Amino acid sequence: MAKRDFLTLLDCSPQELQALVERAAQLKRLHRAGTAPRSLAGRTGALIMQLKSTRTRVAFEAGMHQLGGSAIFLSPADTQLGRGEPIADTARVLSEMVDVLMVRGPSHQDVRTFAEAATIPVINAMTDLYHPCQLLADIQTFEELRGPIAGRRVAFLGDGYNMCNSYINAARQWGFALRIASPSDYEPDAAMLAQTGNAALVETPREAVAGADLIVTDVWSSMGQEEEAAQRRARFAPYQVNETLLDQGAANTLFLHCLPAHRGEEVDHRVLDDPRCGAWVAAGNRLHSQKALLEFLLGVL
Ligand code: CP
């Protein structure tokens, strides 16, 4: 059977994605009951993080362990990758030793190169273009707290970067209506938007959040954009999610942020403690959705 990769949400069918979300919810229940399966017994995963991570790394390492497998963290600084060994050579070698690779890097093309050269599944642990693992947890969280996402209204405020791109893909795969408000020059790629009939740019944050069932934002300066931070703060200030903006959403709107959050920038500190904030649940759900993804890619279900 051909190996499967998970570089974007479009690598799975809508049915497969929904099955992943449902399996993640089941794995969460089993974990809490102390009856988690040993479905990855004897399997090993390698995690290559060219950028920093807390949630993604811990979810992968703890998730492999909870399902009976093991994980190896490979810092580029401590491996031959850091001394210039080609990505393709590294991918071929690791394919002989472990069962799955999880890769985070500043270049989506680098993760594609890993996937092309590896004979084992490769998971995108976040690149400049996409963060599909976060979307699995976000959708799991919305459905856990608010019910099915299909047909709902979702607002994304802020930078048209990897999280926004992932929400555009999610709108297509799960069938919800996405409205995006971004400052000019920070909008998502027009071609990507054009491919997704149910995602649209709107003029103002208020227009985006009006009646929204889910309101999402992300940091204004992602990893590697620190030098632009002051300029970005000025441009993005009107896009901050605060209680006033949250009140414009649907009566039971949910707020999500992939974290880490910059309080006082993209989100007011009160919103993170508001009962409508699901970001903490979503962070915990990273563990279970990544376990479901590992089971799926390793073909153990
Ligand atoms: N949301 C997210 O990916 O968190 P980390 O950067 O801590 O992995």
Side-chain angles (χ1 to χ4, degrees), residues 49 52-57 104 125-126 131 134 223 257-260 286:
M49 291 292 198
K52 295 188 189 322
S53 168
T54 299
R55 282 144 285 267
T56 310
R57 175 180 176 177
R104 169 173 286 196
M126 197 191 81
H131 196 1
Q134 182 67 49
M223 285 185 271
H257 186 308
C258 62
L259 304 178
R286 295 292 306 277

Side-chain angles (χ1 to χ4, degrees), residues 251-268:
N252 64 344
T253 194
L254 187 72
F255 169 72
L256 289 178
H257 186 308
C258 62
L259 304 178
H262 292 182
R263 289 170 170 81
E265 293 193 9
E266 76 278 359
V267 59
D268 182 85

Side-chain angles (χ1 to χ4, degrees), residues 34 109 149 152:
Q109 183 53 50
I149 188 94
R152 302 295 192 108

Side-chain angles (χ1 to χ4, degrees), residues 233-264:
R233 271 196 294 276
R235 293 297 310 283
F236 282 85
Y239 296 79
Q240 184 192 70
V241 179
N242 49 40
E243 286 177 319
T244 308
L245 206 60
L246 217 54
D247 290 342
Q248 307 296 312
N252 64 344
T253 194
L254 187 72
F255 169 72
L256 289 178
H257 186 308
C258 62
L259 304 178
H262 292 182
R263 289 170 170 81

Side-chain angles (χ1 to χ4, degrees), residues 1 15 47 53 86 94 111 143 247 267 269 271 273 297-298:
M1 196 174 70
Q15 294 74 21
L47 179 61
S53 168
L94 292 178
V111 180
E143 298 210 332
D247 290 342
V267 59
H269 70 278
V271 168
D273 294 321
L297 292 175
L298 291 172

Side-chain angles (χ1 to χ4, degrees), residues 38-55:
R38 306 280 294 171
S39 49
L40 298 184
R43 306 297 185 104
T44 307
L47 179 61
I48 299 170
M49 291 292 198
Q50 295 172 293
L51 295 169
K52 295 188 189 322
S53 168
T54 299
R55 282 144 285 267

Side-chain angles (χ1 to χ4, degrees), residues 159 219-223 225-226 228-230 232-233 262 265:
D159 198 5
V219 293
W220 293 340
S221 298
S222 294
M223 285 185 271
Q225 298 169 335
E226 289 81 3
E228 302 170 28
R232 284 171 168 264
R233 271 196 294 276
H262 292 182
E265 293 193 9

